[in-house]
Amino acid sequence: MNLIELHQLKKHFATQKAVDDISFNIKEGSIFGLLGPNGAGKTTLIRMITGIFLPDSGEILFNGKKFNPNDDVSKIGYMPEERGLYKKMKVGEQALYLAQLKGMSRGDAMKNLTKWFVKLEMESWWNKKVEDLSKGMSQKLQFVTTVLHQPQLIILDEPFSGLDPVNANLIKEEIYTLAKNGATIIFSTHRMEQVEEICDQIALINTGKKILDGTVHQVIQDFKENIYKIGIDGTYENLNPSLFTIIQHKQNEIKLKLNEGITTNQLLQYFINQQVSIRSFEEELPSLNDIFIKLVENSSASRTFLQQN
Amino acid sequence: MNKIILIIKREYLTRVMKKSFLVTTLLVPLIMFGFYIAIIGISMQGNNDIQKIAVIDNAHLFNGKIKSQKKELRFFIINNETEASFLPKYKKLGYTSFLLIPADTSKVYKGKFILHSETSVNIITMDDIQELINNNIRTKQLLANGIDPQKFEEATKDVYIENTIETKEGSKKSVAAVSYGVAFFCGILIYIMMMTYGTQVLRGVTEEKTNRIAEVIISSVKPFQLMMGKIIGIGAVGLTQFLIWLILLIMVQFAIPVFFPEVIQNMGQSNAMASENVQIASITLEGLSALPIGKIAGCFIFYFLTGYITYASIFAAVGSVVSEDHQEAQQLITPVMMPILMGFVIMTKAVNDPNSTLAVFGSIFPLTSPIVMMGRITSDVPTWQLALSMFCLIGSFILFTWITAKIYRTGILLYGKKITWREMIKWAFVKN
């Protein structure tokens, strides 16, 4: 079942079409990667899903019904890319306040908060002011305030930036757990290696338009170029170009692109017949990073995107 | 609705729990009260030091004796000395200062006498000496011309005009200076409170925006709820402060008779024997009790709240478009400050002349009325003017919160761009 369905969503500002006819669905309980260079329209899209903006046209279905910001925002937890907390407020009070704004009772909020603080070893922070926390610490706090009210939909914009590897792993595990327990997670990022690792499903957005969506596996399959690496002993001359084109031929390794219509078995058969001793055989799949660079290459935003990766 | 209360609660509590709030609310009036007590106390005790003043009476005005009604001033006529011979030694002989009366009588009656002293003589002593010497000279002159000084005194006595206000509860004495003072004070107070709490709203909104908490909050509540919650919360802080001051003021009224029973004894009777300060204090208290305190406090609360919310919503809109730069805020805020300042200027005129055209206009025009009306409040403002003024203010309050809410909603999420007034106005009227 789809938790969220976007149908032909549009949002135009005076100077640009921030979101221009975007549709996709997000399955309940999945981790969805929303990707795209800066200025692609991710934030605008997220703001429409969180009820901050109303779309100019199109509609959002939440739980199969038309999205109603008044009721549904309490089922959403949103962590913006630019973190925000009241600096002068104490950690515990602040988390309770934000949970209450999401419609939780103070008692329930307190119960959940205690659980989270114990789990993430934050108990001693209760009476600290936010301004006294380190960047990583306030990041953790922000994460807790985002998920405290047990939202059905959790939107995380670059959740790992500013976290050390240990804490990043901790949060990653929590994200998996939340998804396993039925929460749906939208994960917006530039960091492709994280997307490949974490996400089930992705959508790429550029200049307000959806360029592609699908499961990570599917996308990679769609963009693979039949490139294989064969580990061998020594070097060989006179290889048959009708089956493949050689991309790189190093000592002990050949990288090649299989020609159209040729199967891997045919390829291996050929090498075996040539008396080549094969040590390893591996398909080289494109990384999401490669795919995205390729897709956004021609847009004006690609330069900044490339710099960031 | 529940959420806006949460926001109000947070805005209110975080401010009221701050030490600085406690200090300004309690300490400032206490310090002022302390000063007040000290001043009354000192002036009632008077100066206990006896001042010995040597007089060389070259004109023979006093026949060797000067009568002094004040205990602490004593005059001693010095004979057989000149200015030059006495000047170096008067201090050694135990005199505080020394007064020289010139021999030339034509100079005596219009000229100046010289009082020699080592340090400057304080103003009260100076006044006393001057009054004594003048009285003596006048008496002498009257006698010389065959006029009985006592009869002259009676003939030149001033009458004292007292203003009595008839109300249903009976008649009260009104004191012009007191009602002037109260009006002026109320006008200034509302001006200061609007400025202080208005800028607090501005700072709060800018803080939320630059902290980026705004986006988190408005993914839970509507921007309008956040804006109004902040404005109301901070306004409640102002109201709390005002009420605490009111209570302190009432306590002071009770405290004065305890500390200075003379003040109350003198109320209602012009006792010639009472010291001047005691009389002033009694008259002030009488004047205060003649004022319609309930009406003034009620109007104050009304004008503070509606005026404050009108301006605070403008301040919030301005705060929402400021990204980082405080100078940017300063530029945008100037046009907002103008009508407040104008209100203040009109108010200073209105307390003197509460029914002038300017004062009436200023007290009805909604951007200046909170301040100007408070300046007129102790005069008898016609009911229709009061009603019209309140009506206009409520109207503009609704209009401004509606417009500014639209600006706020757009501004709070916009970063990195310098916004002009023209753009803000465009947002206000764009259908969104």
Side-chain angles (χ1 to χ4, degrees), chain A residues 11 47 50 52-53 70 73 78 80 82-87 89 94 97-98 100-102 142, chain B residues 3 6-7 10-11 14 207-208 211-213 215-222 226 413 415 432:
Chain A
K11 181 81 186 172
R47 282 177 178 174
T50 51
I52 294 174
F53 286 160
N70 281 335
V73 286
Y78 174 37
E82 299 282 353
R83 311 286 184 257
L85 292 166
Y86 287 109
K87 290 206 176 81
M89 233 176 151
Q94 173 134 244
Y97 172 64
L98 292 173
Q100 281 175 285
L101 281 185
K102 284 288 187 190
Q142 189 101 41
Chain B
K3 289 179 180 174
L6 278 170
I7 296 170
R10 192 201 85 86
E11 297 292 339
T14 49
E207 191 202 340
E208 261 168 12
N211 270 356
R212 311 275 175 158
I213 182 89
E215 191 162 353
V216 177
I217 305 268
I218 62 172
S219 70
S220 311
V221 305
K222 291 213 176 68
L226 178 59
L413 291 170
Y415 291 98
N432 223 328

Side-chain angles (χ1 to χ4, degrees), chain A residues 17 35 53 66 70 84 95 100 102 106 122 132 136 145 163 166 186 190 204 225 237 258 276:
Chain A
K17 296 176 177 178
L35 315 167
F53 286 160
K66 194 170 168 19
N70 281 335
Q100 281 175 285
K102 284 288 187 190
R106 202 180 158 87
M122 293 160 66
D132 299 330
T145 60
L163 284 179
V166 176
I186 297 180
H190 308 299
L204 172 68
E225 292 174 276
E237 307 293 320
L258 216 56
V276 175

Side-chain angles (χ1 to χ4, degrees), chain A residues 114-131:
Chain A
T114 318
K115 236 187 301 177
W116 274 106
F117 272 26
V118 171
K119 201 191 249 180
L120 299 181
E121 292 161 4
M122 293 160 66
E123 300 107 300
S124 61
W125 300 7
W126 192 275
N127 276 323
K128 274 191 186 164
K129 279 187 180 172
V130 172
E131 60 187 350

Side-chain angles (χ1 to χ4, degrees), chain A residues 173-195:
Chain A
E173 286 309 315
E174 292 308 327
I175 293 174
Y176 283 139
T177 314
L178 286 165
K180 217 188 300 166
N181 294 339
T184 309
I185 291 152
I186 297 180
F187 181 41
S188 164
T189 186
H190 308 299
R191 307 275 300 275
M192 296 308 164
E193 74 281 1
Q194 288 173 354
V195 175

Side-chain angles (χ1 to χ4, degrees), chain B residues 194 197-199 201-202 205 224 227-228 230-232 305-320 333 336 367 396-409 421 424:
Chain B
M194 264 167 55
Y197 292 109
T199 36
V201 170
L202 175 83
V205 170
F224 184 72
M227 177 175 127
M228 279 326 272
K230 180 173 276 307
I231 290 175
I232 295 170
L305 282 184
T306 39
Y308 157 77
I309 293 176
T310 307
Y311 274 106
S313 63
I314 303 175
F315 279 117
V318 170
S320 76
I333 214 70
V336 185
L367 289 178
S396 76
F397 150 80
I398 292 166
L399 181 75
F400 274 104
T401 46
W402 182 72
I403 289 176
T404 52
K406 293 184 117 183
I407 298 174
Y408 176 87
R409 195 172 58 188
W421 272 102
M424 284 164 71

Side-chain angles (χ1 to χ4, degrees), chain B residues 35-74:
Chain B
F35 266 117
Y36 190 52
I37 295 261
I39 288 168
I40 296 185
I42 288 168
S43 60
M44 274 178 43
Q45 269 185 351
N47 202 340
N48 283 326
D49 295 350
I50 289 167
Q51 302 239 2
K52 289 167 80 179
I53 299 157
V55 181
I56 293 187
D57 185 9
N58 287 335
H60 302 290
L61 282 173
F62 294 104
N63 299 326
K65 197 178 155 210
I66 303 176
K67 271 198 274 177
S68 166
Q69 284 92 338
K70 305 233 173 204
K71 279 184 293 207
E72 61 274 18
L73 281 185
R74 290 207 193 135

